[in-house]
Amino acid sequence: MFRSLSLWIGLSLSSILVVPAVAQPAPLPLPPARSATAPTIAQDDRLIRAFGGQEGLRAMTADFMRRVLADQRIAIFFVGFDHAKIEGHLYNQFCQILNGGCVYTGRDMNIHAHMGITEADFYALVEDLQAAMTAHKVPNWAQNKLLAVLAPQARDVIAVPSKPLEPQN
Amino acid sequence: MKRVRAIAAYTLAAFLLAMVQPSPSVAQDLVQDMPQAFSGRLKLTGGVNQIEGAAGGGFTPWALIGGYGTKDQVGGAMFATQVTLDDFTVQSFGGLIGWRNRLEISAAQQSFDTREVGAALGLGRGFKITQNTMGLKIRLVGDAVLDQDRLLPQIAVGAQFKSNDRGGLVRALGAQDSQGTDYYVSATKLFLAHSTLVNLTVRSTQANQYGILGFGGLGKGRSLESEGSIAYLPRQDLAFGFEWRTKPDNLAIAKEEAAMDLFVAYAPTKNWSVTAGYADLGHIVTRSQTGLYVSVNTSF
Ligand code: HEM
């Protein structure tokens, strides 16, 4: 009892220390999402099986992440982010789309809106995904089913440079 | 004095060298910060060049803007095509520039070798008719590749300005003019989930055999023609397809029919593709003409 209380107090005190003295600027508001992040598009398990089941999808996603981080065109966007976390979210997103029995718990795709991603950057990532899927023997028809869901997400991912969003007051 | 000049010169040279030769890390940063300038789109999504030079299939313009430029980039393509028919050989070569995936400007030259028929008609063996075509195309709405959750296709309007170098001959055949302009509307949609591309084009034209036999005829003006393509992409680097193109029939002495083709396009790399096919161009001057279609395209 006493131990847990002192732990409590200790934690609360340290959290005060951690809080920065200067208030952070309010983050830019996200634009409304314009495309579904993880719609399930298969009724049966045919699609997830084409990806080699959960196991195959996990290996493919890891390969995809490796290719993205090695891709000189877009690697810079991922500097300073938790790659394992992104990979986990990607896996769950793909798995939910393919009706593989997972639940996507990440954020909406509009989180990309302020990153300054261009259409060419988006397609570079798609090329890496195609290369990973091909390397993992995912048949073309199954690749295109997944890509058909991801393609409209370009509207959320690609930045609109001409009209920056107004920060909220 | 000489020494001072030398020192000044060395200092200047060192300064200039430092300017043009940044340290490796700076150079790397520059490269990384520079947005990609070319070839941002996916393989084969600029189509190939159709016979008159616009981005499309073999004979039909598509709503796609040629080359691989995204909405922030410039792209381009060059091509050479030969169709070897029963009695004639059609060749076309040229190029296009795509600006911001919005505007396409193309220039191409078509030539029509009459081979033996030229001799039979008294024109001379291997008599050639040549035509220059300038093309303009503007994408109005839609993105054939990205808008997978919408039915709206990519829609573009275009014009092809054609000028035939054998005015005397085509008038003798009954054509009204050696120059003419085609206008068209194209709608193109990639049904990615089904690995299938569909295109429909409506063209307003006076051209006889693409313009090779001039423009217009006795009492005949513009007509609306339909063109279409359907292509299946079993792999990212492969497309099989079918196309048709209806044409006017303006000349009393030279019957004209619709053209059709079956093609296979293969892109071993993103920048090169080869298209081969069987073309049935219908009746041209003498009789129905079929033959081999071969085209090489380079896109960036
Ligand atoms: C359809 C294409 C894309 C999909 C499906 C996708 C998916 C995801 C997912 C699921 C996350 C994790 C979300 C979360 O943490 O809650 C994420 C984060 C991220 N993505 Fe993407 N992404 C796409 C395109 C891109 C592109 C083109 C880039 C840059 C070139 C990019 C850069 C990032 C970065 C830097 C993060 C980390 C953001 C953070 O943790 O705050 N993404 N993406």
Side-chain angles (χ1 to χ4, degrees), chain A residues 77-78 81 86 89-90 93 104 106-107 112 117 122 153:
Chain A
F77 285 97
F78 294 86
F81 287 108
I86 298 176
H89 282 309
L90 278 170
Q93 184 188 18
Y104 176 66
R107 289 163 289 166
H112 296 86
I117 296 169
F122 179 86
Q153 295 180 356

Side-chain angles (χ1 to χ4, degrees), chain A residues 37 64 68 73-75 77-79 81-82 85-91 93-94 97 104-109 111-112 115 117-118 121-126 129 149-151 153-154 157:
Chain A
T37 290
F64 168 45
V68 166
R73 298 172 295 180
I74 52 174
F77 285 97
F78 294 86
V79 171
F81 287 108
D82 182 343
K85 196 191 98 189
I86 298 176
E87 188 185 313
H89 282 309
L90 278 170
Y91 167 77
Q93 184 188 18
F94 294 166
I97 291 169
Y104 176 66
T105 54
R107 289 163 289 166
D108 198 277
M109 285 302 99
I111 58 156
H112 296 86
M115 296 182 189
I117 296 169
T118 66
D121 298 326
F122 179 86
Y123 281 129
L125 181 123
V126 171
L129 178 57
V149 174
L150 301 184
Q153 295 180 356
V157 170

